[in-house]
Amino acid sequence: MTVRVAVTGATGRMGGEVLAAAADRDDVDVVLAVSRSAGETVEGVAVEAAADLPELLAERDPDVLVDFTGPESCIEYAAACAEAGVAVVSGTTGLGDDGFDALREVAADVPVLYASNFSRGIAALRRAVREAVPALDGYDIELTETHHNAKRDAPSGTALTILEDIDDVRGAAERVHGREGEAPRTEGEVGVHARRAGDIAGEHEVLLAGNHESLSLTHRAGSRGVFAAGALDAAAWLSGRDAGWYDFTEVLE
Ligand SMILES: NC(=O)c1ccc[n+]([C@@H]2O[C@H](COP(=O)([O-])OP(=O)(O)OC[C@H]3O[C@@H](n4cnc5c(N)ncnc54)[C@H](O)[C@@H]3O)[C@@H](O)[C@H]2O)c1
Ligand SMILES: O=C(O)C1=N[C@H](C(=O)O)CCC1
């Protein structure tokens, strides 16, 4: 069955990747693409005004909306989907606690699948981290993420997700963002570092060091296409499900 997909942020980096990936798949059909600035054509799809989303959702009747925009717009668009009965796949990061609370409210009305990272490799890295941290109890942990020079939020949403994984398996730890001046480690802290350079699609390293050894667990995204592919896999999987909150790991099972 072909899933009818609406895309927000269509003139953005990820919006364009989603439209390009959709063009090469026969299980999804893009019925709507919107952005703040309408009038462009992206991957052969006419981009319409995001301000008209409520009316356009009613007119085009998509099954799922795929969102990679900004924290405020993500919630605005998801709320419109709740009204229209459209499922939501979102990968927008920087939502904060209030943003996630609002997104979970939408999940009361429609299916919502959120992931800070739609690559299968990061899902595998998370499993490895959850196994390595308890196995190397007491080792120092440093997390470094590296992204393109246009990324607005820091640390990355993926880094925050991995930090939650570490807290889950080791207990809540103090997070130290960057280092400068007299800054020796304190017992159990997790160092967090965000690098911004070039057009790097996304790198995440978790370093565990102690007992005369170190372990580095690293994921590198080759392009944004990996995220677009995962988001469309999620959209195809989510379509037709009951209202509720879903996780990308369920798609990978
Ligand atoms: N979950 C993942 O796998 C994954 C992968 C890549 C990027 N991301 C996230 O996706 C988001 C977008 O990344 P990008 O590189 O495509 O950014 P971008 O700036 O290239 O594109 C963002 C798009 O959203 C629109 N937008 C942003 N804020 C808006 C607002 N307040 N109202 C209306 N429209 C708004 C912009 O006009 C643009 O079209 C970021 O949060 C990023 O961290 C997630
Ligand atoms: O390019 C970005 O921006 C990315 N954002 C996500 C994050 O913040 O973790 C995923 C990786 C790429």
Side-chain angles (χ1 to χ4, degrees):
M1 184 191 81
T2 301
V3 176
R4 296 166 61 83
V5 169
V7 178
T8 52
T11 57
R13 286 177 289 266
M14 277 306 301
E17 289 287 345
V18 170
L19 291 171
D24 290 339
R25 293 173 66 132
D26 57 13
D27 62 340
V28 300
D29 181 22
V30 175
V31 297
L32 175 60
V34 298
S35 188
R36 280 185 289 195
S37 54
E40 288 184 53
T41 297
V42 178
E43 299 294 333
V45 179
V47 177
E48 299 172 81
D52 298 332
L53 184 64
E55 295 77 16
L56 290 169
L57 290 175
E59 178 188 308
R60 306 287 167 77
D61 190 28
D63 300 304
V64 187
L65 181 140
V66 176
D67 170 81
F68 292 94
T69 54
E72 300 78 17
S73 47
C74 168
I75 301 311
E76 176 191 340
Y77 300 155
C81 288
E83 286 294 315
V86 175
V88 178
V89 167
S90 181
T92 299
T93 61
L95 295 187
D97 292 344
D98 291 347
F100 279 114
D101 289 347
L103 203 53
R104 286 188 181 275
E105 283 179 24
V106 169
D109 297 315
V110 293
V112 175
L113 193 150
Y114 177 87
S116 57
N117 195 299
F118 276 104
S119 75
R120 295 164 185 267
I122 283 292
L125 174 66
R126 292 182 59 196
R127 288 195 295 273
V129 166
R130 284 176 167 269
E131 188 167 334
V133 169
L136 303 178
D137 188 32
Y139 282 37
D140 297 330
I141 301 176
E142 296 273 321
L143 189 160
T144 302
E145 55 97 339
T146 307
H147 288 87
H148 55 91
N149 57 25
K151 183 171 179 55
R152 287 185 289 272
D153 57 320
S156 67
T158 306
L160 294 175
T161 299
I162 294 169
L163 287 166
E164 289 166 13
D165 290 329
I166 294 168
D167 284 355
D168 279 354
V169 297
R170 199 178 73 155
E174 181 193 6
R175 298 170 185 178
V176 176
H177 295 269
R179 288 184 197 285
E180 65 175 343
E182 180 75 12
R185 286 186 65 89
T186 57
E187 181 73 24
E189 77 176 47
V190 176
V192 185
H193 312 278
R195 302 189 302 177
R196 296 289 175 266
D199 191 30
I200 295 172
E203 297 180 6
H204 292 84
E205 179 201 31
V206 178
L207 174 68
L208 301 98
N211 187 34
H212 309 291
E213 63 180 354
S214 66
L215 171 66
S216 173
L217 301 172
T218 300
H219 175 267
R220 291 187 181 84
S223 79
R224 293 181 180 91
V226 67
F227 308 126
L232 289 174
D233 290 345
W237 181 91
L238 190 66
S239 178
R241 291 185 188 267
D242 294 338
W245 185 266
Y246 296 88
D247 191 275
F248 186 48
T249 54
E250 298 178 77
V251 179
L252 304 180
E253 284 168 357

